[in-house]
Amino acid sequence: MTTSAELGLPALTVAPGGVATTTLTVRNDLDIVEAYSLEVVGDCAAWTTVEPARVSLFPGTSETVTVRLAPPRSPAARAGEFPLGIRVLPTERPELVTVPETTVTVTPFHELQAALAPRRRRGWLRGRYRTSVRNLGNAPTTVVPTPGQAGEELRFRATPERLRLEPGESGEMRLQARARKLIWFGKQASWPFEVTVGPEESAAAKGTDGKGTDGKGAEGKGVGDKPETTTVDPTPLQKPVLDGEFIQLPILPKWLLALLAALIALLLAWFALVRPAVRSSAKQAAEQAVAQQSATPAPTPTPGAPAPGAPTPPSGGNPGGQDKPGAGQPSGGPGGGNNPGSGLAVPGTGQQSSATIEVQTANGSSSAGSYQVPHGKVFDITDIVAANFQGDQGLLTIKAGKQTITTIALETFRNQDYHWVTPIQVPEDQTVTANVTCESPGTPASGKQAATCHELLNISGTLSDIRPKN
């Protein structure tokens, strides 16, 4: 004696989101009244039910119950063939358990969820986007993005070009939109585009003419060739279409063109109006000075003075040969005041000379760099150029000897130059000093903030010999 159970169908096919039913017949071949518990086992148990789930049978009787299969339309119901079993467990005689089986085929369905971020980009030539895709179907899918733009002003590149996703899996692809040419000036341009996300087309899914994959028909087949067979998914895939936009900016904005036009107008005004007026005023002043000098009567020679044309005694001396205190000594320049150890520069001995002072200062501290005029020389400074190439913040003080030439905030300039018509004279053994107080190091062209402030000072002028004392 035993328990017998039989399913109504040897195989079932069900679509996700749909319902399929079959029957299960249970017969009591025992000589006692028996109750049977009906339990679904296998991969389909999560979405399969038996109604009713428990039956009681008299000896020699049978009962038919309904087996209902309702797979959800989600990645959880994977496509393919799966075994389905119903465990029939007697309550009084559990050792007589039986499990009838059948095969369930879950048909595939395809569904994709995609998003483009950001939707809008701005740039001179290219914009970069991220395309995120999720496979909501129940079968593996190879996804390929297909971007398009109506006017073909943009070119696209996707990385990677294709992406394989398992059911329920998410992935990301990078998309680059690049304009074909630059916009040098004018208005910005807006280029809308679309990205269609769909599965990769197989060779059999591409367009054919019904004569074979090579388009030659039966005449193009060789001996022994076999026709290809393709399994077509009956559920069409809805391909997401994503909208994006690339806003291309001009290289030269309108305000810059207006600024350049204003600068050109100022230069033209300078050369056409201001510069001739300045030259005319300078020429007139020079002519007036010459006229006044010509109108001044010549001084009457005093007794003991040398006659006109007679040799002039050396500077700083007197006819008696006795040196007069302070006579013949040049007044000190801005840097050093009166320097008893220095004399006048010897004419004709001056040579163009320049020196560079480099100062590196830690943040929050002060440092100084200097240049010392050689012994026996006098330095006439005509030009000073200060370079703040890092864009540091702080204070720069330039001194010649004991006199301060200028004090300037570092954040107000990158390159600053000074020029003098009347040179600043620095006597021998005096120094030109650049003192830097660093408040915040700047960021050089490399893009990384510097650890210290770094300034350069270039001084230029004439270096001459000193006339020896008599």
Side-chain angles (χ1 to χ4, degrees), residues 419-440:
H419 309 281
W420 291 273
V421 176
T422 302
I424 299 176
Q425 190 176 86
V426 185
E428 64 179 351
D429 301 328
Q430 294 291 324
T431 58
V432 179
T433 306
N435 188 284
V436 177
T437 300
C438 180
E439 295 182 0
S440 176

Side-chain angles (χ1 to χ4, degrees), residues 389-406:
F389 57 91
Q390 293 184 166
D392 302 328
Q393 296 183 11
L395 202 63
L396 170 64
T397 301
I398 304 174
K399 292 185 177 182
K402 298 180 180 180
Q403 180 173 349
T404 300
I405 296 178
T406 184

Side-chain angles (χ1 to χ4, degrees), residues 404-427:
T404 300
I405 296 178
T406 184
T407 298
I408 184 171
L410 294 176
E411 56 268 22
T412 61
F413 73 97
R414 284 298 181 102
N415 288 284
Q416 183 72 31
D417 55 342
Y418 302 90
H419 309 281
W420 291 273
V421 176
T422 302
I424 299 176
Q425 190 176 86
V426 185

Side-chain angles (χ1 to χ4, degrees), residues 23-37:
T23 59
L24 173 67
T25 302
V26 180
R27 182 177 179 81
N28 182 9
D29 293 330
L30 301 176
D31 55 0
I32 61 174
V33 177
E34 184 64 274
Y36 298 91
S37 298

Side-chain angles (χ1 to χ4, degrees), residues 48 51 56 77 125-126 129 144 183 187 189 217 231 236 298 307 333 373 410 451:
T48 303
E51 299 174 356
S56 297
L125 190 61
R126 61 174 61 86
Y129 307 81
V144 176
I183 300 178
K187 296 182 179 179
T231 301
V373 179
L410 294 176

Side-chain angles (χ1 to χ4, degrees), residues 100-183:
E101 293 185 357
T102 187
T103 301
V104 178
T105 300
V106 180
T107 60
F109 78 95
H110 298 279
E111 184 177 349
L112 295 175
Q113 183 183 58
L116 184 68
R119 181 183 174 275
R120 182 182 292 108
R121 279 286 194 185
R122 298 174 181 267
W124 287 332
L125 190 61
R126 61 174 61 86
R128 293 181 173 87
Y129 307 81
R130 299 188 309 275
T131 304
S132 56
V133 186
R134 185 180 182 185
N135 183 10
L136 298 180
N138 65 345
T141 302
T142 300
V143 180
V144 176
T146 306
Q149 192 259 335
E152 297 185 355
E153 288 87 1
L154 300 177
R155 290 181 292 179
F156 300 92
R157 184 179 67 180
T159 306
E161 295 181 354
R162 55 185 56 83
L163 185 65
R164 180 175 175 81
L165 299 176
E166 295 294 327
E169 185 180 5
S170 300
E172 184 177 278
M173 294 176 287
R174 297 186 180 274
L175 180 69
Q176 175 180 283
R178 186 179 188 276
R180 293 185 179 273
K181 59 182 180 180
L182 291 169
I183 300 178

